[in-house]
Amino acid sequence: DYAHTPDALANLLTTARELVAERGPDSLTMSDVAHRAGVNRVTLYQHFRTREELLGQALELLAELKTIAEES
């Protein structure tokens, strides 16, 4: 089941990060993330209970990627 794979989680985080970059963190919605990621909201909520949890993890990923880029 794709919904419970690491690829699904990575896809959701990447999608959230892209939407934050495009629209800013205040405009991020669970529905927008699910739609763009090509999953239903149930799948999204299986990984993240709240918008804030999703946003926090997406921003952590962004910070990690920035650190890696700076170290290269």
Side-chain angles (χ1 to χ4, degrees):
D1 181 19
Y2 174 76
H4 298 96
T5 66
D7 288 342
L9 178 59
N11 181 31
L12 293 169
L13 287 170
T14 298
T15 301
R17 181 181 53 82
E18 290 170 353
L19 287 169
V20 168
E22 291 172 15
R23 305 176 190 174
D26 292 338
S27 297
L28 185 72
T29 69
M30 298 295 265
S31 293
D32 287 345
V33 173
H35 179 74
R36 183 175 291 186
V39 301
N40 61 42
R41 287 187 301 161
V42 172
T43 298
L44 180 58
Y45 280 104
Q46 288 174 343
H47 291 279
F48 305 99
R49 286 189 244 169
T50 65
R51 175 192 167 281
E52 289 72 23
E53 183 180 346
L54 171 60
L55 183 58
Q57 288 193 33
L59 293 177
E60 283 178 26
L61 175 62
L62 187 58
E64 289 174 18
L65 293 173
K66 183 178 178 187
T67 300
I68 290 169
E70 290 171 352
E71 291 175 353
S72 298

